[in-house]
Amino acid sequence: MISRSLATSLPEHVGERVRVAGWVHRARRLKSVTFAVLRDRSGLAQVVLPGSAEVPPEETVVEATGLVVANPQAPGGAELVEPVITPLGEPARQPVFDLYRPGVPASLPTVLDNAPIALRHPKLRARFEIAAAGVAGFRSTVDGLGFVEAHTPKIVGSATESGANVFGIDYFGRPAYLAQSPQFFKQALVGVFERVYEVGPVFRAEPHDTTRHLAQYTSLDAELGFISDHRDVMSVLRTTIAGMVGSAADRAGAALDLLAVELPVVPEEIPAVHFAEAQELIARHTGEDPRGEPDLAPAHERWLSEWASREHGSDFLFVTGYPMAKRPFYTHPEPGNPRYSNSFDLLFRGLELVTGGQRLHRHSDYLAALAERGEDPQSYVDYLGVFAGGMPPHGGFAIGLERWTARLLGAANIRETTLFPRDLNRLSP
Amino acid sequence: MISRSLATSLPEHVGERVRVAGWVHRARRLKSVTFAVLRDRSGLAQVVLPGSAEVPPEETVVEATGLVVANPQAPGGAELVEPVITPLGEPARQPVFDLYRPGVPASLPTVLDNAPIALRHPKLRARFEIAAAGVAGFRSTVDGLGFVEAHTPKIVGSATESGANVFGIDYFGRPAYLAQSPQFFKQALVGVFERVYEVGPVFRAEPHDTTRHLAQYTSLDAELGFISDHRDVMSVLRTTIAGMVGSAADRAGAALDLLAVELPVVPEEIPAVHFAEAQELIARHTGEDPRGEPDLAPAHERWLSEWASREHGSDFLFVTGYPMAKRPFYTHPEPGNPRYSNSFDLLFRGLELVTGGQRLHRHSDYLAALAERGEDPQSYVDYLGVFAGGMPPHGGFAIGLERWTARLLGAANIRETTLFPRDLNRLSP
């Protein structure tokens, strides 16, 4: 049997007999000719049959052996004629919407309810090829910077990082929880590897049904030691984001074209404003006065992003120095101005994409920070042991993969860039 | 301030003043001289002080600025003299065992109980550098073969793949479960991407406390469509394993040297025996008669591995055709011999490392398989929809990362190659 050719390779085989295999993407009968368009992982191949020919129902898996001829009107400029079509499975059930239409003729709930089939639509599949390319760029960048990849527990004994929004598990009869982040583990591993990263699921029992939150998402976490302050973390993050954009261009060019995505330019230095300065800007220019608020409202994040685009020509903006009141207890305060912190958010096209910053690294600072928040150090005994055992100044960041892809594609709902979302209402498919 | 040099770069800087930073790995006072050995992510640097000098306690994080001089007796052939040592944190608490000893002077439980500090020991850290290199090799190999990386839900609505050994979760007041594998999702995604992989945690509520089982481990999953049968899957697996070995050599050479690991040679074609033939061999050569048993005992796996090494000079052996009775319902039977299956295990140095095979791909075959096992197809409605929607012949495999690393290192207990193991008794650190 001749070996299989991929659909997009047909132009290289004009004049040869080849075998292609894939899903019947579309069957189209004209008066004197029938077209069967096959879809495989590479793209589409047009197969030409006599007008009277039967073509299996769309989405049936078939192989077709035939002669490749040039035809400028066919996808890629070549098509298969005189084919023998052999089903590789049973006739497929009709999909809930037509997968061959150029646009996606279905609402988001319909897509999500029928994800295993719906995601076959080339424009839906393309989103996840872009996501995969982004993750590959994340890894190759941090690998190149000497980071080591780790795999940490997703089941933890105490819901410590933030008591709210955790999922409880029955762990051999004992209570346990799904990890909300690898934060404590990645800090501990700075003591081992200096530079560490993890790509993995994190879990939030988000009681709100919003377009921005999921019960499980993929977190691209990095943490590094021997920093001067949070600006060293921002510099690594800038390099990483540039690597993710570059990887999307290199590895997912066809998907980007199909979705007409315009990749952002990552400036050599991403503009940065201090939180206090950001509030001043908003007060001066918008008629609203957020000064005194401990956090930025989504509308203000959007305004700041537009400001960065206007003033600095940048799709990205760092906001630094968030008030300690709104940051976790392990956050390093701003030297000389301890109301603020050595932390940052990275805004990308109007939305917070990354949170990061410098962490405390002295054992005594942890004890003081917990005491100030009225927390019992005994609940953090393993974590505190890391700092008692000697830790360098360190910091890190976490990028939400689904959010990254959503902003890149201009998707309004994070569920559009999640294969099988989990949320307050959704536990299948 | 001069920029930081890594410990192993000292020989490149002889005659220059440099700054190094790291943990005080060892302080050693002789009569007229004191050595402070610093440890950073690259290795060790020797810092020479006057005999009367104070060195902060071991594991304290410091930086040292001084002059680099050649000294054949120092690690790497160069050392730092006339240093100024500045602590970057508080004096460290004494570790539970000496991290500077060449061997690990502690039992496994002591290591696991104190993992955040214990893993700093260069020989313990090295294990995970080798693991990370293996994962990188897995990914780069399957990336090169056209696989797309996916991230699937770890929270599922039904404990379907195998009712036993699942962790229950309270999911917004509804019962849910931690996924035991991405099996159903990766099969669905063959319909989308044709070739898909995932590196992620899987969860097994293993009620047994063995050296081979964990409650969470890292599964390297791959699945591909348009195969002829399981032998196409075995061929991709062989390429992948070779990629993992090659990546360990390329990316973790120092760690392999430190642990004196001898990497296996992956034969161009890994020897394969059918399950029935394997039982015959055991019966003929060992005095035991396993014929009629539906699975291989661990002792028989070891014997077969030794046989493969003796007869074929291979550390690897495929056993194919496992009886259907012991394989999941989605397993494809052996054509013409439906008591057996188109599945395989890959044995590596005496132990099962990978399970894989061809899956059913026809909707009607799934209905028949579930009926035969007395299961309600309604419990599998989303999964069955994938096959009704048109699926090619497909198959895949799953490699347990911790098991891979353990076999490579000759570790007796899988916990030795897990950063922070979770098991029947262990939920921290």
Side-chain angles (χ1 to χ4, degrees), chain A residues 45-73:
Chain A
Q46 181 160 288
V47 180
V48 187
L49 300 108
S52 60
E54 283 293 321
V55 175
E58 277 143 9
E59 292 310 302
T60 303
V61 176
V62 301
E63 59 179 32
T65 305
L67 180 69
V68 183
V69 297
N71 174 0
Q73 257 124 62

Side-chain angles (χ1 to χ4, degrees), chain A residues 20-27 36-40 54-64 85-95 99-100 117 120, chain B residues 191 226 361-362 385-393:
Chain A
V20 294
W23 288 259
V24 176
H25 188 59
R26 186 168 191 193
V37 177
L38 297 201
R39 186 186 71 240
D40 68 16
E54 283 293 321
V55 175
E58 277 143 9
E59 292 310 302
T60 303
V61 176
V62 301
E63 59 179 32
I85 293 186
T86 313
L88 295 178
E90 296 164 326
R93 181 193 287 169
Q94 191 180 355
L99 298 175
Y100 62 78
I117 305 297
R120 297 178 181 184
Chain B
F226 298 98
H361 64 281
R362 289 184 175 80
V386 170
F387 305 100
M391 278 289 282

Side-chain angles (χ1 to χ4, degrees), chain A residues 90 139 149 154 364 422, chain B residues 90 139 149 155 216 364:
Chain A
E90 296 164 326
R139 284 201 202 92
E149 185 178 13
K154 304 308 161 201
S364 59
R422 294 291 180 260
Chain B
E90 296 162 327
R139 284 201 203 92
E149 184 178 13
I155 303 175
Q216 175 189 323
S364 59

